[in-house]
Amino acid sequence: MSSKFRKINQKPIVTPIYQTTTFEFPDTDSIIQYQKGKKKGYLYTRYDNPTIEAVEIQMARLDKAESSLLFSSGMAAISGACFTLLTSGDEIISSAPVYGGTQSLFDRFLKKYGIKIRYFPANDTGKLARAISSKTKFIYLESPTNPNLQIVDMKTAAKIARENRIFTLIDSTFASPVNQKPLDFGIDAVMHSATKYLGGHSDIMGGVLSGSSTFIKRVRESRKLLGSCADPNQAFLLDRGLKTLTVRMEKINNNALAVAEFLETIPGLKTVIYPGLDSHPQRSVGISQMSGFGGIVSFDIGSAKMAARFADSLKVIKNAVSLGGTESLISLPIWTSHHGIDRKKLVAMGITPGLIRLSIGLEDKKELITDIKRAIRKSLK
Ligand code: PLP
């Protein structure tokens, strides 16, 4: 900072944006002391930055973790964990389904490096134990699952993993740290796409990993080399989003439950999936590990044609990918989050052509229900 600035002994209420790539040291000895770990400071924003660090401290508190790390996107966080934990010849076991991008990372990208992937159905941890081999390096979970809201029994999965001394990582994006604290159930590390509920306004990309200081320290080293750090502006907006996370999630949980309950009253809809409904097949597991059920409601309208007709008839709910913002969105998974994955494989995981995924936002719930009612009338004809 220019020496012309007045030095003040006051703290700003809001974390400033340290929009700088580099930090000045008073002399070379201070750099040497920093490199030896004897002096704290900031060297280069790809390594560390005060705005980014402020968010990491908050995320660790929210996830009840020792430490957290911020990334440029959710995929950067997932791939950062993979590149840290895996070497050629290792195996991963993943719950299925997972977000399409994650599945492509596993099936197409990691395969190139000689890493084998095995899947087990998210709602059947019984099959997890059977998939473990001597090469299994870590178990990857996603709960609730994108897009069909299956629940992984975290306690059981963590127990199986611990008995076999295998690391566990869960994508908790759909729940947010308000609704789910996976570390409380014995999971080793949590990942969030901060692009969704954490940022909360559909205006930033971001990803977070939270876990033990040892794990985070290892991933921090990979992040430096992979260059997948967040940027200070992005961190500032995330910091701002986190301030309203709890109130947004309360309203979103409430709105989504109302929408799901409404959808259940419509004759002709094949399935309505929401972990907050009594009809959810894993209702009791959901209640035991979640304190709210999030904003995603999925249902099967019958066919891809009907799903498109429904999406095109909505006026308030916008047809756009992503989720977790203030506005409600509709997404047809076969054309969006899971596009490019073999259709047969998708159907086997419950991702049918008629499946519709709603991300419920902060609008008036009556307005949302009216919008859905009108679109259903047009598309069920
Ligand atoms: N995990 C889930 C459940 C997602 O839905 C997404 C994106 O949609 C991701 C991870 C990837 O996050 P990002 O788009 O921030 O890279």
Side-chain angles (χ1 to χ4, degrees), residues 278-318:
D278 286 341
S279 59
H280 192 286
Q282 294 152 283
R283 171 84 170 138
S284 58
V285 183
I287 288 175
S288 72
Q289 59 188 38
M290 298 178 82
S291 56
F293 301 102
I296 310 299
V297 181
S298 296
F299 63 100
D300 191 330
I301 201 164
S303 70
K305 235 184 198 168
M306 286 162 107
R309 215 182 303 147
F310 175 79
D312 296 343
S313 307
L314 291 165
K315 288 198 162 65
V316 177
I317 302 173
K318 305 283 182 258

Side-chain angles (χ1 to χ4, degrees), residues 251 254-256 258-259 262 310 313-318 326-329 358-377:
K251 168 98 178 176
N254 201 288
N255 272 1
V259 166
F262 165 72
F310 175 79
S313 307
L314 291 165
K315 288 198 162 65
V316 177
I317 302 173
K318 305 283 182 258
T326 59
E327 63 290 311
S328 296
L329 300 178
L358 299 175
S359 168
I360 300 300
L362 297 176
E363 301 91 339
D364 185 317
K365 61 185 166 201
K366 282 193 207 124
E367 195 187 2
L368 293 173
I369 288 171
T370 307
D371 197 33
I372 293 169
K373 210 184 260 179
R374 185 179 41 229
I376 291 269
R377 224 178 289 133

Side-chain angles (χ1 to χ4, degrees), residues 150-266:
Q150 292 182 34
I151 308 276
V152 176
D153 178 342
M154 293 192 281
K155 216 172 172 177
T156 306
K159 188 169 175 281
I160 295 168
R162 276 183 188 212
E163 280 165 4
N164 290 278
R165 295 171 180 269
I166 298 170
F167 190 84
T168 42
L169 170 64
I170 190 163
D171 180 341
S172 192
T173 301
F174 268 32
S176 90
V178 174
N179 289 329
Q180 182 164 283
K181 309 265 189 213
L183 302 190
D184 278 351
F185 296 88
I187 301 292
D188 293 309
V190 188
M191 175 270 156
H192 306 275
S193 163
T195 313
K196 320 298 182 193
Y197 293 114
L198 303 181
H201 295 77
S202 305
D203 54 8
I204 52 157
M205 302 297 296
V208 177
L209 281 177
S210 300
S212 70
S213 306
T214 321
F215 169 66
I216 294 298
K217 199 172 164 203
R218 283 181 67 197
V219 193
R220 183 185 288 281
E221 288 308 307
S222 321
R223 189 186 66 175
K224 278 185 194 172
L225 301 176
L226 296 169
S228 46
C229 57
D231 101 356
N233 249 297
Q234 183 187 16
F236 173 80
L237 287 173
L238 183 50
D239 178 61
R240 181 162 157 156
L242 290 179
K243 289 179 188 177
T244 55
L245 178 65
T246 306
V247 277
R248 282 188 285 109
M249 288 319 295
E250 278 167 10
K251 168 98 178 176
I252 283 172
N253 288 343
N254 201 288
N255 272 1
L257 179 62
V259 166
E261 282 174 344
F262 165 72
L263 285 168
E264 271 206 320
T265 65
I266 299 172

Side-chain angles (χ1 to χ4, degrees), residues 334-352:
I334 60 159
W335 301 120
T336 56
S337 57
H338 292 72
H339 182 56
I341 297 172
D342 180 70
R343 281 282 173 89
K344 273 191 195 144
K345 278 190 190 165
L346 289 180
V347 171
M349 293 187 284
I351 305 171
T352 46

Side-chain angles (χ1 to χ4, degrees), residues 1 11-19 49-52 54 232-233 235-236 239:
M1 229 185 273
K11 283 185 188 163
I13 295 299
V14 174
T15 308
I17 309 176
Y18 284 82
Q19 192 69 40
N49 172 290
T51 317
I52 294 170
N233 249 297
F236 173 80
D239 178 61

Side-chain angles (χ1 to χ4, degrees), residues 72-78 98-102 140 142-146 171-174 191-196 204-207 321-323 337-338 357:
S72 54
S73 70
M75 287 311 297
I78 300 169
V98 285
Y99 164 59
T102 311
Y140 184 89
E142 183 179 297
S143 187
T145 62
N146 183 354
D171 180 341
S172 192
T173 301
F174 268 32
M191 175 270 156
H192 306 275
S193 163
T195 313
K196 320 298 182 193
I204 52 157
M205 302 297 296
V321 298
S322 203
L323 59 114
S337 57
H338 292 72
R357 188 191 81 185

